[in-house]
Structures are given as structure tokens and as C-alpha cells.
Amino acid sequence: MAKPVTRFVCQSCGAVTMKWAGKCETCGEWNTIEEEVLAGRPGPAGKASAGKRVSFVGLAGTAEPPPRAPVGIPELDRVLGGGLVPSSVVLVGGDPGIGKSTLLLQAAAQLARTGKRVLYVSGEESIEQVRLRARRLGVSDTSIELAAAINVRDIIASLEQTKDAALVVIDSIQTMWLDSIESAPGTVAQVRACSFELIRLAKTGSFSLVLVGHVTKDGSLAGPRVLEHMVDAVLYFEGDRGHQFRILRAVKNRFGATDEIGVFEMTERGLAEVPNPSALFLAERRGNIAGSAVFAGLEGTRPVLVEVQALLAPNPSGSPRRSVIGWDGGRLGMLLAVLETRAGVRMNQTDVYLNIAGGLRVNEPAADLAIAAAIASAAFDKPTSPGMVYFGEIGLSGEVRQVAQAEARLKEAAKLGFDSAALPRRLAHGNRKLAAPEGLRLEEIGHITDLVARFAPESTKNG
Ligand code: TYD
Ligand code: MG
């Protein structure tokens, strides 16, 4: 047997060093380096074997689109890019308790109902706990085969016997354990080695593998970012535990688009799909309150209307607070500076609180106009018109810039009964005419001063 090999691995970025250090040289994190002992080198012991010849082929040739098996949960299938691809590996990440096990048990049950063979390996919960959840979800009668196991060698030996499985779920990868590595489950070394073995099996077999991964408090997948490179798709399941909405977001997908989202609602009996998220996100909106504006946003290919709320409070201390939920704090700072410098809206003695209602996270710069409208509305204590949606990016000189997919946004607004939209000014030349849905009035806003003028009382308009 080979002499044990010791090395040091950063638990945050996976960098390997020969010496222990307090700070990782690669990612700069402190106290993340841990010793790792390999019982022997992986692979065949003894002399390195001579390599086999790799065959190279030309670029022309048939590349069939990968076959897909729709799971039967449209919100999930959309995020997957149409369904599960055989021999592919999907990583589903999310905070503990957000609903990953619930989603995957429901997905497994849907697939099992179509007659496919589905294996569910739970390393976190006992058989009894999973059965309880299955009962709650009403899926106890499906043909899912369940095992409680954490030893990857045992799992692999069992999977090699079951050639006809369509889906294998490993819940979660942080609980898996491989005996050739001496660190504890959940460490980078274990997570990486276990994933590697399981992924290798999936690639040679014909089943889809789903790995569940927990997310640490700073938002990265516990342990290795390395894992994200090893899998074909990474989906994040996010949401605020205080809200019932859950959003499944693709951050990487070798077989589909990465900006798609699926929207779910956590109910007493599991996750329910939300085919019309706009209606849900606007459900609790109260009209006629200053500081609220509706943003016509886009998540992937899908328009989503959300309410933006701003609250301003006087703070004479000279160091006002800026607090943001659901949007980028840096971008809020920029917008406040533009409002102040270009439109004269003073904010230096005002605390600004900004919230995207419903727990959604908005990443689009197109939200600028809606956010500026909410802030201006709060600053002058004048409500935005209740039937209006806003979208447009704001540049540093205060100009309102074009954004993609204006038509889809307008259509969604019309569908939900809005009667007007504030949007960037159409370019005079070259731009094709915007087809506005019937009954929707378009109000073009060329500059942030035009926006502020809608809220500011007459006397301050020119001063
Ligand atoms: P779970 O799927 O166990 O989360 P994860 O695997 O991501 O850790 O879901 C946990 C939460 O969901 C738990 O707080 C209870 C809640 N829940 C419901 O509200 N309804 C349900 O039908 C189920 C199964 C769970
Ligand atoms: Mg779980």
C-alpha cells in the first residue's frame, strides 16, 4: 500500500497546498485550509500505466440535440431547458429548509408516474422521515425506490446493478462519504471525490443524476465551487423563508438557457407551480401610496411584474443609511447620485430603504426607472399612477436608455390590466416601431428630470 499522502485544501475554493496557512493565497479567505490525508493515491496502485490512444474526429458530423425526458412539472422543465438529459448531472443548490428535498421528491414522483425507474438516496433523513414527507405530498403510492445511505462505494455498487434507472437523486452531496479519503463528509475533499465517482457513473450509464447541495451563509455552495465545473447544470432554489414563494434559477446549463426561472409556492402539501407570477407578486399591492412603483421586468424569457417600494426617513446625522432587499446596493447608490446630481433630488440627509416586494431578487438594470420612480414618489410624497408600469435603464448623465424585449413587458402589463407604461424614448432613427398592446398608453421618458417632474410640485420644477 502506498504511503499516506498529506496535503492541505482550502475549503472555500479548493486550492491545494503542501503547507498549512491561516489565509488561502488563492481566494484570500481566512481559516479555510484543512489537512487532508489520502490513504493511497486514487486509481490503480503501483506503476503508472501507459496511456491508450485517444481518437480525434472532425468538426463536421451529426450532433443530435440531446434527448430529454420532461419531468412533468413545467416550471422545473423550463429551467432545465426542456427536461432531464440522460447521462447528465444537475446540481440543485439552496439554503437548508428552502424546499430542495420537497421539490426533488415531487419531481421524482412525477417521473415515476410516467413509468420510469427512479432511485432516491437520502443521506440526510431516515427512511421514515422521507416516507412522512411522501405522505404529506401525496406521492406514497409511486414506484420511487428509496434508500438511506451515505457510503458512495455502496451506492455505486448498487447503481451498477440497476441499469435501467432514469433518474437518481442524491440528497445531499454533503452527507456522502468515500472511504479512501479520511476527511469528514462535507469537506471539499469528500464532496469532490464523491461527486467525481457518482458523475463518472452517470456519464457511463444512461440515467440523469441530481445532486442536492447546501449553500453556506455567504451564498456559495458549501465546500467547493469546483463542483460547479463538474456538473452540466447548476440550479439554485432561492426564496425568503418568510415568504411562500420559491424561485428556481439556472445559473449554469450546458443544455439550455441560464436565465430561466421557475416560480413555486410552498403550500401545506408541497410546492405548487405558479404559472402567473406577476399576479402573485402584485397580489398584496395597495394603490395610492407614495414610494411604490411597478417594474415590468423580465426573468429569462418570461415577463414578471413586481412592486418596488421605497421608504425615505430624515436623518440629519450626515451619514444616512441605505438598505436594499432584492436589488443591488451599489446600483442604488448610483441611482441616488444621479437623482441628486442630475435632477436635484437631495438625499444626503435621508435614509433610503428599498425593497422588492414578495422576496424576488431583481438583477436587471432595466429596473432603474421603476426604482427611481419609487424614490421620487417617496421624496415628493406623491403616489405613482396606479395603472402604470415602469422600465428603462438610467445612465450616469441621467438619460433613460433602451432595454431589451419592451414588447413582452408591455404585453404582460396589458394582460394584468395596467393602462400605461413609462419607458425609454424611442430612438428617432433605425428603431422599428414598438407595437404597443391595445389600450396601453406609452409615456416616453428621455431623461431622469422628466421622471422627477412627474412628482415634484410646480415650484421646484425649474429650481
Ligand atoms: P425541505 O424540502 O426539507 O428543505 P431542504 O431539503 O431544502 O432542506 O423543506 C423544508 C421546509 O418546507 C420545512 O420547513 C417545511 C416546509 N414544507 C411545507 O411547508 N410543506 C410541505 O408540504 C413540505 C414537504 C415541507
Ligand atoms: Mg433536504
Side-chain angles (χ1 to χ4, degrees):
M1 175 123 173
K3 182 164 151 275
V5 182
T6 304
R7 57 183 193 171
F8 296 85
V9 181
C10 170
Q11 303 296 301
S12 172
C13 70
V16 179
T17 52
M18 285 303 129
K19 269 200 338 230
W20 189 87
K23 182 183 175 188
C24 174
E25 289 295 326
T26 309
C27 67
E29 294 278 330
W30 285 90
N31 298 325
T32 53
I33 294 184
E34 280 186 21
E35 182 172 7
E36 186 179 286
V37 185
L38 299 164
R41 289 206 171 273
K47 280 190 298 226
S49 58
K52 270 190 283 180
R53 222 181 120 216
V54 175
S55 52
F56 290 84
V57 296
L59 292 180
T62 47
E64 299 274 313
R68 288 172 190 283
V71 176
I73 301 179
E75 291 293 306
L76 172 62
D77 286 330
R78 176 188 18 251
V79 179
L80 284 169
L84 287 165
V85 178
S87 307
S88 76
V89 185
V90 179
L91 175 66
V92 177
D95 289 328
I98 206 72
K100 301 180 295 297
S101 303
T102 306
L103 176 70
L104 289 170
L105 195 60
Q106 284 180 268
Q110 270 300 337
L111 210 61
R113 286 210 174 97
T114 64
K116 299 223 164 73
R117 187 161 184 195
V118 178
L119 307 179
Y120 196 106
V121 182
S122 176
E124 225 152 73
E125 291 162 310
S126 66
I127 300 270
E128 203 35 55
Q129 282 171 307
V130 181
R131 282 183 175 157
L132 259 173
R133 179 181 293 123
R135 225 167 293 151
R136 186 167 173 188
L137 300 174
V139 301
S140 303
D141 59 331
T142 57
S143 62
I144 296 175
E145 294 163 62
L146 176 65
I150 60 163
N151 187 323
V152 170
R153 238 176 263 298
D154 295 350
I155 295 169
I156 286 179
S158 321
L159 291 180
E160 277 169 346
Q161 310 283 309
T162 45
K163 293 264 178 255
D164 55 344
L167 171 65
V168 175
V169 178
I170 303 286
D171 186 1
S172 65
I173 192 65
Q174 274 97 5
T175 55
M176 294 294 135
W177 177 74
L178 201 60
D179 52 13
S180 60
I181 289 173
E182 281 188 13
S183 23
T187 53
V188 172
Q190 280 289 1
V191 168
R192 192 171 36 195
C194 294
S195 310
F196 182 76
E197 295 295 330
L198 289 163
I199 290 169
R200 194 165 60 173
L201 190 68
K203 294 288 168 194
T204 55
S206 60
F207 60 88
S208 312
L209 175 66
V210 174
L211 303 175
V212 175
H214 288 299
V215 165
T216 53
K217 52 188 176 323
D218 62 348
S220 62
L221 273 166
R225 272 168 226 148
V226 230
L227 198 55
E228 298 195 357
H229 304 296
M230 294 163 74
V231 299
D232 299 302
V234 180
L235 313 183
Y236 274 100
F237 205 34
E238 32 178 73
D240 190 306
R241 261 197 279 170
H243 290 100
Q244 73 271 39
F245 321 121
R246 298 286 180 272
I247 289 154
L248 188 67
R249 199 185 282 279
V251 294
K252 163 180 173 175
N253 193 348
R254 282 190 189 144
F255 308 112
T258 50
D259 48 7
E260 289 293 351
I261 62 162
V263 184
F264 298 87
E265 189 179 353
M266 183 60 96
T267 70
E268 273 305 294
R269 307 199 58 216
L271 291 156
E273 293 179 76
V274 179
N276 187 352
S278 302
L280 190 82
F281 287 125
L282 296 178
E284 286 165 70
R285 188 168 65 106
R286 310 247 222 105
N288 242 20
I289 288 180
S292 153
V294 176
F295 166 49
L298 207 68
E299 291 285 351
T301 55
R302 190 187 221 206
V304 178
L305 304 191
V306 284
E307 183 190 357
V308 177
Q309 301 173 324
L311 179 69
L312 308 184
N315 179 347
S317 78
S319 49
R321 284 189 58 151
R322 272 83 179 95
S323 165
V324 194
I325 299 173
W327 207 53
D328 182 40
R331 207 158 173 100
L332 173 65
M334 183 207 91
L335 266 187
L336 291 174
V338 173
L339 273 166
E340 181 149 351
T341 318
R342 308 289 176 202
V345 184
R346 298 257 168 268
M347 295 288 173
N348 53 1
Q349 300 215 322
T350 313
D351 289 342
V352 180
Y353 300 89
L354 189 83
N355 179 34
I356 308 289
L360 188 73
R361 215 195 131 71
V362 173
N363 298 316
E364 275 189 290
D368 290 352
L369 193 64
I371 287 167
I375 294 170
S377 158
F380 298 103
D381 198 24
K382 183 176 176 203
T384 58
S385 54
M388 182 172 268
V389 299
Y390 293 81
F391 62 88
E393 183 179 340
I394 294 176
L396 285 183
S397 55
E399 82 281 17
V400 180
R401 310 172 73 110
Q402 292 290 332
V403 300
Q405 307 244 31
E407 262 126 6
R409 298 171 201 265
L410 295 175
K411 227 168 110 192
E412 179 79 356
K415 201 173 94 191
L416 277 134
F418 285 85
D419 59 22
S420 51
L423 73 176
R425 180 166 296 157
R426 270 168 271 172
L427 301 174
H429 304 288
N431 222 20
R432 71 194 166 84
K433 186 147 169 39
L434 197 61
E438 207 153 313
L440 198 75
R441 202 176 67 251
L442 304 186
E443 302 200 10
E444 298 178 353
I445 310 238
H447 194 269
I448 197 162
T449 47
D450 304 342
L451 179 78
V452 170
R454 303 172 72 97
F455 299 99
E458 285 298 321
S459 57
T460 58
K461 263 185 193 172
N462 301 316

